[in-house]
Amino acid sequence: MSAPPDLDSVDHDLLGLLQRNSRRTLAQLGEEVGLSAAATKRRVDRLERLGVITGYTVRIDHEKLGWTLEAFTELSVMGHSRMAEIEAAARDLPEVLRIFTTAGDPDALVHLRVRDMAHLRHAVDQLRSSGQVTGTKTLMVLSVWEPPERPTRPAP
Amino acid sequence: MSAPPDLDSVDHDLLGLLQRNSRRTLAQLGEEVGLSAAATKRRVDRLERLGVITGYTVRIDHEKLGWTLEAFTELSVMGHSRMAEIEAAARDLPEVLRIFTTAGDPDALVHLRVRDMAHLRHAVDQLRSSGQVTGTKTLMVLSVWEPPERPTRPAP
DNA sequence: AGTGAAACCAGAAGCCC
DNA sequence: GGGCTTCTGGTTTCACT
């Protein structure tokens, strides 16, 4: 495990700005943090090189696509299962957004997005059909709140 | 609630490509889906106009920034609390990634990212100090698995 | 709905200070 | 860190299928 690279407040501001809108131009970015476009490019290039910025992506409104339901399924698995095996139990479902293996009880938390209740039922059935899984408990998501994106913060 | 806009498979492919890397040029995008750059731009513009694409952002490796620990805290709250009040109980913590209110037990799931165990302890204390919260159970995340980004899928 | 071409110019890339 | 030049690539408009 390597020590975190030392980033100053300008770097953190840039990350916050890019997180809100990665299509700002270098000139715009520079203006907001008080740097020239060239200097800003050097900062951003460095953040990419350090692996702090791992990619550029697009935010998609999945509700608009008809995938309107989210859920979390808590998985309990056989005592001898290794983490990789737990992940394998859920990895192949297209409904899976993320799999979190966890310490304690339950053993994993599977974040799902589905079209409707029938679809959720089907996805949970798939999870339960894995040989590793000994039990599930599903929480249906009623609402999601996300914080406004702010500058990232240093780890002192 | 409005009906999902009708997108064809090219639109879904474009969304998948942009999700993997939103910095592709229109010419590159077009080549991969078999369209000209001009036609590709019309597609992307439409997806933005429809609100399917809600923004462009950057992926950040928070571990590299020293925020190495993730957790989920299940919240139980007073019986009379409304969803908005539940969210309010967690909204002000900078450690909060997302708040999911859920149907059943628990009442909400709070996704946290913290620097270390002492920091987690502090964050959970903050959650517990809300007048609404009657109990918490915290799951520490051991690993996170995310699927490779693929084309989005239609909702038939 | 799509194509290809041409013209324009913003902005990224690269180099020098 | 700034400033300058170069040239890619986004954007618009055209006639056309």
Side-chain angles (χ1 to χ4, degrees), chain B residues 3-67:
Chain B
D6 48 303
L7 308 183
D8 62 19
S9 69
V10 174
D11 290 313
H12 285 285
D13 288 347
L14 285 174
L15 289 172
L17 290 167
L18 286 172
Q19 214 166 23
R20 277 200 285 285
N21 175 14
S22 66
R23 292 221 152 168
R24 283 177 173 82
T25 66
L26 292 170
Q28 285 174 309
L29 276 176
E31 193 177 356
E32 301 197 64
V33 299
L35 285 182
S36 69
T40 304
K41 176 168 166 38
R42 280 193 288 271
R43 296 279 193 149
V44 174
D45 285 347
R46 175 167 171 264
L47 290 170
E48 292 174 357
R49 191 164 26 82
L50 289 172
V52 173
I53 293 176
T54 61
Y56 294 83
T57 184
V58 66
R59 256 193 297 267
I60 293 178
D61 182 346
H62 287 86
E63 286 204 17
K64 284 245 166 63
L65 299 180
W67 291 61

Side-chain angles (χ1 to χ4, degrees), chain A residues 9-19 29-30 33 35 39-40 43-44 47 151, chain B residues 58:
Chain A
S9 68
V10 173
D11 290 312
H12 285 286
D13 288 347
L14 285 174
L15 289 172
L17 290 167
L18 286 172
Q19 215 166 23
L29 277 176
V33 299
L35 285 181
T40 304
R43 295 278 193 149
V44 174
L47 291 170
Chain B
V58 66

Side-chain angles (χ1 to χ4, degrees), chain A:
Chain A
M1 192 124 291
S2 61
D6 48 304
L7 308 183
D8 63 17
S9 68
V10 173
D11 290 312
H12 285 286
D13 288 347
L14 285 174
L15 289 172
L17 290 167
L18 286 172
Q19 215 166 23
R20 277 200 285 284
N21 175 13
S22 67
R23 291 221 152 168
R24 281 178 173 81
T25 67
L26 292 171
Q28 286 175 310
L29 277 176
E31 193 177 357
E32 301 198 62
V33 299
L35 285 181
S36 69
T40 304
K41 175 167 166 38
R42 281 192 286 269
R43 295 278 193 149
V44 174
D45 285 347
R46 175 169 171 263
L47 291 170
E48 291 173 358
R49 190 163 28 80
L50 289 171
V52 174
I53 292 176
T54 60
Y56 295 84
T57 184
V58 67
R59 255 193 299 268
I60 292 177
D61 183 345
H62 287 87
E63 286 203 17
K64 282 245 167 62
L65 299 179
W67 291 61
T68 56
L69 205 60
E70 276 186 59
F72 282 91
T73 297
E74 300 179 356
L75 289 189
S76 300
V77 300
M78 314 255 288
H80 56 74
S81 301
R82 277 171 274 124
M83 293 299 151
E85 293 170 330
I86 299 173
E87 290 177 354
R91 219 178 359 210
D92 294 328
L93 296 190
E95 294 84 1
V96 168
L97 295 177
R98 276 179 173 159
I99 307 169
F100 303 91
T101 64
T102 55
D105 168 41
D107 298 302
L109 209 50
V110 180
H111 190 187
L112 300 167
R113 176 155 38 222
V114 292
R115 289 186 290 264
D116 51 39
M117 202 62 80
H119 189 187
L120 176 60
R121 172 194 154 120
H122 174 257
V124 174
D125 271 352
Q126 292 285 112
L127 287 174
R128 296 180 64 87
S129 76
S130 157
Q132 309 284 336
V133 173
T134 58
T136 65
K137 169 183 169 181
T138 296
L139 304 172
M140 279 180 20
V141 171
L142 298 175
S143 72
V144 184
W145 181 86
E146 255 186 302
E149 276 145 355
R150 13 167 202 219
T152 53
R153 288 166 172 235

Side-chain angles (χ1 to χ4, degrees), chain B residues 94-138:
Chain B
E95 294 83 3
V96 168
L97 295 177
R98 275 178 173 160
I99 307 169
F100 303 90
T101 64
T102 55
D105 168 39
D107 298 302
L109 211 51
V110 181
H111 190 187
L112 299 166
R113 175 153 41 218
V114 293
R115 289 187 290 263
D116 52 39
M117 204 61 81
H119 189 186
L120 176 59
R121 172 194 154 119
H122 175 257
V124 175
D125 271 351
Q126 292 285 111
L127 287 175
R128 296 180 64 86
S129 76
S130 157
Q132 310 284 335
V133 173
T134 58
T136 65
K137 170 183 169 182
T138 295

